[in-house]
Amino acid sequence: MPSVTISSKRQITIPAEVFRLLELKEGQKLMVEVEGERIVLTARPLSLTKALGGVTHGLYGSNTDQVDEYVDKERDSWQK
């Protein structure tokens, strides 16, 4: 398993084999998450819009009538 060292500027260098394996590019952004005691780096998609497009498809209904019904129901539940 490759390892890295944290520099005095809190920087790390991604090992070349990992860089190539994941097809990362210079200047590419990475997302950083903490899971317990682990640091997880994930390549950020070049376009977040494209990556998230359609993620809510069907969540509020499968057609405009169902979506309108859902919205009406939510509005009716608001305090007046």
Side-chain angles (χ1 to χ4, degrees):
M1 178 182 304
S3 65
V4 298
T5 302
I6 302 172
S7 75
S8 61
K9 295 182 180 183
R10 299 183 313 272
Q11 298 171 327
I12 62 170
T13 300
I14 299 170
E17 63 189 81
V18 174
F19 191 86
R20 284 192 295 270
L21 179 69
L22 296 177
E23 299 179 357
L24 298 173
K25 307 284 185 244
E26 290 181 16
Q28 184 174 356
K29 301 286 185 183
L30 298 176
M31 297 182 294
V32 180
E33 296 177 274
V34 176
E35 293 180 359
E37 293 186 15
R38 303 178 101 189
I39 299 170
V40 179
L41 301 175
T42 307
R44 191 174 108 186
L46 297 177
S47 169
L48 290 175
T49 304
K50 287 182 182 178
L52 297 174
V55 80
T56 61
H57 181 73
L59 182 63
Y60 303 107
S62 57
N63 59 47
T64 55
D65 290 334
Q66 289 177 354
V67 172
D68 288 343
E69 183 180 323
Y70 173 82
V71 170
D72 289 340
K73 183 179 175 185
E74 286 299 308
R75 285 184 179 149
D76 289 342
S77 73
W78 295 349
Q79 291 182 347
K80 295 181 182 182

